[in-house]
Amino acid sequence: MTRHFVYFSSQASTSGKALSGGNLMKAGRIDIAIHSFIQGVFLSHEIRDDVVFHFIFYGMPDPPKHIEIHAGENLQVSKRDVGTLIKKLLYKYKVGEKNEVFPGCFIEKKSFLKVIDELENEGGDVFILDKKGEGLREVDIEKNPVFIIGDHEGLPKKELRRLKKTATKVSIGPKMYFASQVVAVVNNEIDLRE
Ligand SMILES: C[S@@+](CC[C@H](N)C(=O)[O-])C[C@H]1O[C@@H](n2cnc3c(N)ncnc32)[C@H](O)[C@@H]1O
């Protein structure tokens, strides 16, 4: 079973240059994106081979950007280099293409809803991570689920209204957690079920 995590950020920068200065907080809180990715794909001394991690960035100067990273042995990245990987992918964006910059690492211009539509069409059940949703432990999770997580500002209201028709809201508990903590809990829940 492949788990898809879709991390949405309305402010994360869509320019590699903005990440070059090293201030990831100023680049639209790319630090949160990095923490979430680390919880999504890394285990102690191991990289998961059952996760596809998607970043959807709507920050300036050229939104939207969809970065798709297939975790696994081919992914040559350490926890310290995730920011550099994102920066390189943003630099290598090519107009009109889904550019595979490194094996399993793609960048393209695609909207949040279009990415979700495509994952749904591939057969994935879509779950929106939301404090007020159904308990994660209670929901059926079939093959290739898609988990949508927001950054510090949460998920966009208009798109959420549209997604509500087909997606299920799920909660990991009564507190408001960091996005990265949510990713870790979801991974753990599926690990336990498997
Ligand atoms: C730091 S929170 C966002 C806070 C933001 N101010 C808001 O109101 O949505 C980051 C993301 O983690 C997820 N999240 C946080 N707490 C959660 C919970 N208890 N259950 C499920 N998802 C949660 C949501 O997807 C949220 O967009």
Side-chain angles (χ1 to χ4, degrees):
M1 161 150 103
T2 301
R3 311 160 192 190
H4 291 265
F5 287 101
V6 178
Y7 171 87
F8 174 89
S9 172
S10 61
Q11 299 296 323
S13 176
T14 46
S15 126
K17 201 171 166 204
L19 274 72
S20 294
N23 191 336
L24 300 173
M25 289 181 83
K26 279 202 175 143
R29 299 302 312 264
I30 293 277
D31 54 311
I32 304 176
I34 293 170
H35 292 157
S36 301
F37 180 82
I38 289 171
Q39 297 302 331
V41 313
F42 288 98
L43 292 163
S44 181
H45 306 300
E46 215 183 316
I47 286 195
R48 289 181 181 274
D49 59 5
D50 50 3
V51 170
V52 180
F53 203 98
H54 305 255
F55 295 107
I56 313 278
F57 292 167
Y58 269 62
M60 288 297 126
D62 190 29
K65 288 286 158 53
H66 170 219
I67 291 174
E68 178 180 307
I69 299 176
H70 294 246
E73 275 175 14
N74 280 343
L75 186 62
Q76 296 296 318
V77 68
S78 81
K79 278 187 294 184
R80 279 176 304 168
D81 296 333
V82 177
T84 307
L85 173 65
I86 294 173
K87 180 177 74 179
K88 285 182 179 166
L89 289 165
L90 286 169
Y91 268 123
K92 294 285 182 183
Y93 164 67
K94 287 192 183 147
V95 177
E97 266 186 49
K98 181 169 181 175
N99 188 16
E100 184 166 15
V101 181
F102 305 110
C105 301
F106 304 82
I107 180 157
E108 64 179 339
K109 197 176 191 93
K110 192 168 279 175
S111 74
F112 177 43
L113 286 180
K114 186 97 176 71
V115 170
I116 302 300
D117 271 352
E118 288 182 2
L119 291 170
E120 264 183 333
N121 290 339
E122 286 167 21
D125 282 341
V126 178
F127 299 97
I128 298 167
L129 273 298
D130 184 311
K131 196 175 84 158
K132 296 194 182 121
E134 283 176 53
L136 175 69
R137 290 180 181 170
E138 272 69 63
V139 293
D140 283 338
I141 301 176
E142 303 289 329
K143 62 181 167 69
N144 305 340
V146 178
F147 298 99
I148 303 173
I149 293 133
D151 68 356
H152 60 301
E153 293 184 341
L155 291 162
K157 298 225 160 28
K158 194 174 109 215
E159 283 83 352
L160 269 187
R161 273 198 295 278
R162 158 65 174 75
L163 285 174
K164 260 197 262 174
K165 291 177 195 153
T166 50
T168 308
K169 282 191 178 177
V170 287
S171 170
I172 63 159
K175 314 261 190 227
M176 186 61 90
Y177 297 95
F178 289 146
S180 56
Q181 293 172 323
V182 176
V183 175
V185 169
V186 170
N187 259 336
N188 178 252
E189 175 65 22
I190 302 178
D191 290 344
L192 289 169
R193 292 189 192 197
E194 285 177 355

